Amino acid sequence: MKSHSEIMQELKQSHNVIHDLLQGRRFHYIDIPVYDNIGDLLIMQGTMQFFKTHSLTPTTISATYYFKHEWCKPGDVIVFQGGGNFGDLYGDIHAMREKIIAAFPNNRIVLMPQTICFSGDEARKRSVALLSAHTDMHFFVRDRISLEIAREFTDHVYLVPDMAHHLYPIRYAQPAMEGNLRIQRVDSEKPEPPESVKEIPFRTTTDWVDVIGAEKKWIDVLGKLEWRLRRYGLGVIARRLLALWYWMPVAQRFSNKAIELLSHYELVVTDRLHGHILSCLMDKPNVVIDNSYGKNSTYMAEWTGQSPLVKIIRE
């Protein structure tokens, strides 16, 4: 049996094909999360570490909603952040992604590792009809169910793990550890907790939004900075630079709070995929409950389930 460390190190080697698609090309890394979801921030930070490791430098880093089409030149590559929002579960995000892809039929598109979820066949077919016409769209997915769906969109499909694995290992101070931590979803992906979990004593139960807490004010500050710079005619500069100079340090501050929280507990029990992945990045034992549509179990079956530090509850 492989050790946890061996498994984690191997997962970091799974993304070399992304390097091959971007090497020597101007590219724009968009759809970054400017909100309070620790999991998506870890994906962004892992992606940035991947770029750094492979000597890749994005021309632009931006959220989807302020990406300017004129930034993208012929021959440029558009790289979308990975995660779990491909589909109509998060419809506004997906709709903006579709519009950008449709607007650049001659530019290479790279969709970083995603889990796909549509509410039904009709919603999926609408998206396939819009996006499948693109001939240079490269779709990276995190599980085999998503792999089959992705093949309806493009012939360029790749099965790889989440980008957050490039943060391994996360080193942290070793405080006294005691008790169990429950990271529990409060959004639309929240599952019904299994009976066996209800019997576990937890010293703390929380979710990402509570972990960030009052620090969320820094998201509002970003909006105010953008507004002031636009007022003085510096909107384009603001949008291209604030993501890197302002938002990346703030995002690191948010994820550091999550790392600090987990460091105080012996065991993490979670229905959040990145509650599980962050625990693995920290070499911390964790128990995983599936989310509402099977994202966690399918991911573990492919990548992390063989780790001696990991257990999944399937009740």
Side-chain angles (χ1 to χ4, degrees):
M1 176 182 291
K2 293 180 181 178
S3 69
H4 176 76
S5 178
E6 287 173 329
I7 292 171
M8 295 297 286
Q9 292 291 354
E10 287 181 3
L11 292 179
K12 293 167 67 174
Q13 308 304 315
S14 304
H15 301 109
N16 290 336
V17 64
I18 299 175
H19 169 262
D20 296 339
L21 291 171
L22 300 179
Q23 186 178 24
R25 306 283 291 269
R26 271 176 43 107
F27 70 96
H28 307 270
Y29 174 38
I30 69 173
D31 199 21
I32 65 167
V34 186
Y35 46 83
D36 55 353
N37 184 302
I38 297 291
D40 289 337
L41 298 179
L42 290 171
I43 293 172
M44 177 182 70
Q45 290 156 2
T47 302
M48 293 298 292
Q49 182 58 50
F50 169 80
F51 292 155
K52 181 179 179 180
T53 299
H54 291 272
S55 300
L56 298 168
T57 303
T59 300
T60 299
I61 302 172
S62 77
T64 306
Y65 67 87
Y66 64 68
F67 177 71
K68 293 291 185 181
H69 287 201
E70 58 263 32
W71 296 347
C72 187
K73 309 301 181 184
D76 287 4
V77 182
I78 299 176
V79 179
F80 286 89
Q81 157 99 354
N85 58 27
F86 194 96
D88 60 342
L89 188 61
Y90 301 97
D92 291 344
I93 296 173
H94 189 65
M96 286 190 288
R97 182 190 294 121
E98 289 178 330
K99 288 179 181 178
I100 291 175
I101 294 174
F104 294 96
N106 299 315
N107 290 80
R108 174 170 292 174
I109 304 293
V110 174
L111 297 163
M112 291 299 225
Q114 277 276 359
T115 301
I116 304 173
C117 181
F118 284 96
S119 60
D121 291 342
E122 184 176 344
R124 188 188 77 253
K125 289 177 180 178
R126 280 200 304 268
S127 190
V128 169
L130 179 63
L131 300 182
S132 60
H134 201 293
T135 59
D136 196 13
M137 185 170 72
H138 298 259
F139 204 158
F140 291 83
V141 294
R142 303 185 296 194
D143 64 89
R144 292 188 181 274
I145 294 175
S146 296
L147 183 72
E148 294 307 313
I149 300 173
R151 285 173 173 156
E152 298 181 39
F153 288 85
T154 177
D155 293 332
H156 309 297
V157 181
Y158 316 81
L159 179 64
V160 298
D162 190 87
M163 296 304 293
H165 287 287
H166 288 277
L167 300 174
Y168 184 81
I170 290 179
R171 306 298 186 192
Y172 58 97
Q174 296 283 347
M177 292 185 292
E178 181 181 355
N180 306 318
L181 171 65
R182 175 77 161 98
I183 301 175
Q184 180 174 282
R185 302 193 77 113
V186 295
D187 60 10
S188 61
E189 294 185 46
K190 178 182 178 180
E192 178 65 31
E195 289 299 322
S196 58
V197 171
K198 296 176 183 178
E199 299 172 0
I200 298 175
F202 295 110
R203 186 154 63 91
T204 301
T205 297
T206 189
D207 197 17
W208 293 143
V209 64
D210 300 316
V211 173
I212 293 173
E215 295 287 309
K216 188 176 179 180
K217 65 184 179 182
W218 298 111
I219 300 176
D220 297 330
V221 171
L222 175 63
K224 292 176 182 178
L225 286 172
E226 288 180 334
W227 180 84
R228 287 183 180 275
L229 289 168
R230 285 199 304 271
R231 184 180 180 185
Y232 291 103
L234 300 173
V236 172
I237 296 175
R239 292 174 174 187
R240 297 189 79 163
L241 298 182
L242 282 179
L244 186 60
W245 290 356
Y246 177 88
W247 180 243
M248 291 296 173
V250 171
Q252 188 62 59
R253 185 169 178 161
F254 289 177
S255 58
N256 284 346
K257 291 198 71 173
I259 293 167
E260 167 67 15
L261 175 68
L262 267 64
S263 71
H264 289 276
Y265 295 86
E266 298 177 80
L267 176 71
V268 177
V269 180
T270 184
D271 51 25
R272 280 202 172 273
L273 177 59
H274 284 84
H276 158 62
I277 290 177
L278 180 56
S279 300
C280 289
L281 295 173
M282 297 173 64
D283 294 332
K284 185 169 289 289
N286 59 99
V287 175
V288 184
I289 305 160
D290 221 347
N291 74 321
S292 61
Y293 65 89
K295 176 171 66 178
N296 300 345
S297 60
T298 55
Y299 187 85
M300 292 177 64
E302 196 65 43
W303 308 114
T304 54
Q306 297 304 310
S307 168
L309 296 184
V310 173
K311 177 182 178 182
I312 186 165
I313 296 178
R314 301 180 181 277
E315 297 173 22

